[in-house]
Amino acid sequence: MFIDSRLGINLHIGFSAKATGQFYNPTALLDTFERQQSARLMPETSHEQFMHYLWADRMAYQQRERPANQIPPAIRAAQPVPDIWLNELGKRWALQFIQENPGQAVALSGKKFASFWGLEQRLYLYAYRNNFFGEIHLIWRLLGIFLVLLPFPILVLMAIADNCREQGFSHTRWLLLLMPITYFTAIHSVIFGGARFHFVLIPLLALMAANAWSLRAETLAMLRGQSKAPQWRRVCCLSLWFGCLLIWAWGQWQARGDWQAFFSPGAHLVPANF
């Protein structure tokens, strides 16, 4: 994600006045480029009229038509938006935002971290709100929520417990399991978060959770403070568990409007776009 021509665009999504910690469409970058083209090619025409001509020309091209009488010749010189240009502008805007709003930038990174490790309920809510399954009784909806959301917290909590065991941490584990998790977490704490981005880490979490289950006697002894492991490991495990619960609770609180709509009568007939 850092070694391509979209780093600046991603940084702008993550650090701007509109940033929420999650992905959004950065229309301001495209609008800036089109306004520059409008001023260069058709200075006597309003930006809105220029965009009307531009989209008409593009649609005509897609349909293999060229209505020359309706579209000014200057439109032919309009260029597609270059990724490199958007990248440089997005990077410049993002760095400027960070310099002018350092406190807000830090807060946004925290939101991105929490969003990355949050629960992914949007797919379930989107599918039901857009009538993928038809109307479902409330009891079955609640059961579906637990089936969709519960596996991820179980994996995370068990993976944390596995790493806090006396023999849970090693250089091999760090290189093969924890380093990729740290890498993806760091990237999405900088650009933008979103629960769907942690899906790639689920196999790694599952490996650690399976190990915790296979050594559950040792894991439970550590949690109860009855093992030979230093006490700080137990404190660390419980603290991380508590932090995860706070993150998940915060995420559901942020989505409370979506949940209210989900449980309202006729929710499956009210399309939603998340």
Side-chain angles (χ1 to χ4, degrees):
M1 294 182 182
F2 280 154
I3 313 176
D4 64 11
S5 62
R6 291 187 173 270
L7 168 61
I9 301 174
N10 291 335
L11 284 176
H12 172 66
I13 295 173
F15 296 103
S16 69
K18 293 184 178 180
T20 63
Q22 300 191 33
F23 176 82
Y24 73 92
N25 189 13
T27 55
L29 295 176
L30 178 61
D31 185 65
T32 300
F33 179 79
E34 299 295 7
R35 286 184 181 277
Q36 290 185 5
Q37 284 209 111
S38 173
R40 177 173 57 86
L41 298 176
M42 300 180 65
E44 73 287 350
T45 305
S46 67
H47 174 65
E48 290 72 18
Q49 188 65 32
F50 173 83
M51 292 302 299
H52 172 75
Y53 287 140
L54 183 62
W55 282 109
D57 181 67
R58 290 176 179 174
M59 292 301 297
Y61 177 79
Q62 291 179 3
Q63 298 172 7
R64 301 297 188 269
E65 299 174 359
R66 282 293 184 179
N69 295 332
Q70 302 176 15
I71 299 178
I75 291 294
R76 304 289 187 271
Q79 301 175 354
V81 184
D83 277 354
I84 295 178
W85 187 91
L86 291 178
N87 175 69
E88 291 300 322
L89 180 62
K91 182 168 60 176
R92 186 166 69 249
W93 283 2
L95 294 177
Q96 180 181 355
F97 177 85
I98 294 172
Q99 292 174 356
E100 295 176 353
N101 307 276
Q104 189 175 352
V106 173
L108 282 171
S109 293
K111 289 183 178 180
K112 296 168 194 174
F113 176 88
S115 178
F116 178 76
W117 285 105
L119 302 179
E120 178 55 292
Q121 74 278 349
R122 296 191 312 162
L123 295 176
Y124 185 75
L125 298 181
Y126 177 86
Y128 185 73
R129 292 279 302 279
N130 287 274
N131 204 22
F132 281 31
F133 315 116
E135 186 175 9
I136 301 176
H137 192 275
L138 177 60
I139 294 178
W140 296 112
R141 267 185 278 170
L142 291 172
L143 179 60
I145 291 170
F146 282 106
L147 291 177
V148 170
L149 299 185
L150 195 58
F152 179 69
I154 292 176
L155 288 180
V156 171
L157 297 180
M158 292 183 67
I160 290 174
D162 184 54
N163 282 282
C164 290
R165 289 185 301 104
E166 185 175 11
Q167 304 298 327
F169 187 86
S170 67
H171 294 295
T172 302
R173 175 186 290 264
W174 166 253
L175 290 175
L176 297 181
L177 299 177
L178 296 181
M179 185 175 288
I181 293 175
T182 303
Y183 171 74
F184 276 94
T185 302
I187 284 181
H188 285 284
S189 296
V190 173
I191 50 174
F192 48 82
R196 67 184 185 275
F197 297 117
H198 70 229
F199 287 170
V200 68
L201 301 178
I202 287 180
L204 303 180
L205 297 173
L207 287 173
M208 291 184 283
N211 193 51
W213 176 256
S214 65
L215 300 173
R216 53 189 175 276
E218 182 181 340
T219 303
L220 289 174
M222 180 273 297
L223 292 173
R224 294 168 180 166
Q226 300 173 351
S227 69
K228 298 179 181 179
Q231 189 66 17
W232 66 265
R233 290 180 176 271
R234 176 172 178 267
V235 174
C236 181
C237 179
L238 296 178
S239 299
L240 290 174
W241 278 13
F242 182 70
C244 289
L245 294 176
L246 286 180
I247 287 175
W248 297 328
W250 174 81
Q252 299 314 300
W253 173 255
Q254 294 294 313
R256 61 189 181 279
D258 297 331
W259 285 116
Q260 290 173 358
F262 175 77
F263 287 112
S264 63
H268 64 294
L269 299 176
V270 184
N273 184 22
F274 296 96

